Amino acid sequence: MLALLLAVAVPGHARNLYRYTNDKGVTVVDYRVPVEYAHMGYEVLSAEGVVLRVVPRSLTEEEKKVRNAEAELEAKARAEEERLREWDESLLLRYSTIEDIEAARERALGELRIRLSILKSNKRSLKHQVEGYQAQAADLERSGQQVDVARIRAIEDLQSEIESTERSIADRAREIEEVSAAYQRDIDRFEMLLEVVELRKTLLARQKREAEEAEYLVPRR
């Protein structure tokens, strides 16, 4: 049922009409939409009754949550798509073969292993120094002499340096694992790219062959 509240032209310039549904389920056309019905959505009509715009109903809280979740998923998907695109472009720009990536990995790991080796060597040297001071302190105590403060402080400083070096060793070892894993991911991704390239070549070759066969079968006049 349609309740037309204003069926006559309003003097002066034409005004838009609004069509909405009230709480009784009745479709109403008026020059305004009451506040209590605006959230249910409405249509904006020209003076001739042509729909100019549709204002959708307001979403419920649950619908808003669903919409926001969908928008978040779409944003994450777009971000992942961009990340993969940049990754692929970077790989194709830097490498031509899997061997190129493996060589780059060995260079990077070689430098890190050298740093790790130096740290381990420094740790051994520091431990030898501590053991030397500790031996001197033990000799002094056996001879009934008091260990001087400078020697005790030197031992403490060296032990503190050893702890710092051990942390650096752990950091370098972790870095080696991370770099190795990163290069392996590059290798896996590059292999996928090569598979696509080979598949594309195969498809193009097949299309070319089919086109040539089709041309050969066409009767010539």
Side-chain angles (χ1 to χ4, degrees), residues 7-176:
V8 296
V10 176
H13 64 279
R15 296 167 55 189
N16 289 339
L17 294 168
Y18 298 88
R19 181 161 54 206
Y20 64 92
T21 303
N22 63 19
D23 56 352
K24 294 182 175 59
V26 177
T27 300
V28 179
V29 176
D30 197 354
Y31 283 114
R32 67 181 185 87
V33 180
V35 175
E36 61 269 27
Y37 300 136
H39 72 280
M40 299 169 62
Y42 55 89
E43 297 172 342
V44 183
L45 313 176
S46 69
E48 292 77 23
V50 177
V51 176
L52 301 176
R53 184 164 58 94
V54 176
V55 178
R57 67 177 178 81
S58 300
L59 299 178
T60 65
E61 290 302 316
E62 187 61 31
E63 288 172 333
K64 288 178 182 178
K65 290 179 181 178
V66 172
R67 182 192 61 184
N68 293 339
E70 291 175 347
E72 184 177 351
L73 288 175
E74 289 176 1
K76 288 181 178 179
R78 287 193 298 271
E80 178 65 7
E81 180 181 329
E82 181 64 16
R83 184 187 73 84
L84 292 176
R85 183 188 65 77
E86 292 179 354
W87 188 10
D88 291 347
E89 290 179 351
S90 175
L91 288 173
L92 293 172
L93 183 64
R94 289 182 294 160
Y95 308 115
S96 299
T97 64
I98 296 295
E99 289 72 20
D100 291 343
I101 305 178
E102 292 173 340
R105 178 182 60 187
E106 289 310 306
R107 287 194 298 270
L109 293 178
E111 293 176 0
L112 291 173
R113 287 167 182 150
I114 289 173
R115 296 179 192 175
L116 181 61
S117 178
I118 292 172
L119 286 170
K120 289 181 177 180
S121 177
N122 290 343
K123 179 184 173 182
R124 287 193 296 269
S125 176
L126 291 169
K127 288 185 70 175
H128 289 156
Q129 293 180 56
V130 169
E131 291 169 356
Y133 278 120
Q134 288 174 337
Q136 294 172 15
D139 290 340
L140 290 172
E141 289 177 346
R142 279 193 294 270
S143 63
Q145 301 179 53
Q146 186 175 1
V147 180
D148 55 286
V149 175
R151 206 179 306 273
I152 295 174
R153 185 169 298 168
I155 293 173
E156 292 174 348
D157 290 344
L158 287 168
Q159 288 175 334
S160 177
E161 194 170 349
I162 288 173
E163 292 175 358
S164 176
T165 302
E166 288 176 340
R167 288 193 294 271
S168 296
I169 289 172
D171 290 341
R172 293 293 79 76
R174 184 166 52 252
E175 188 176 359
I176 287 173

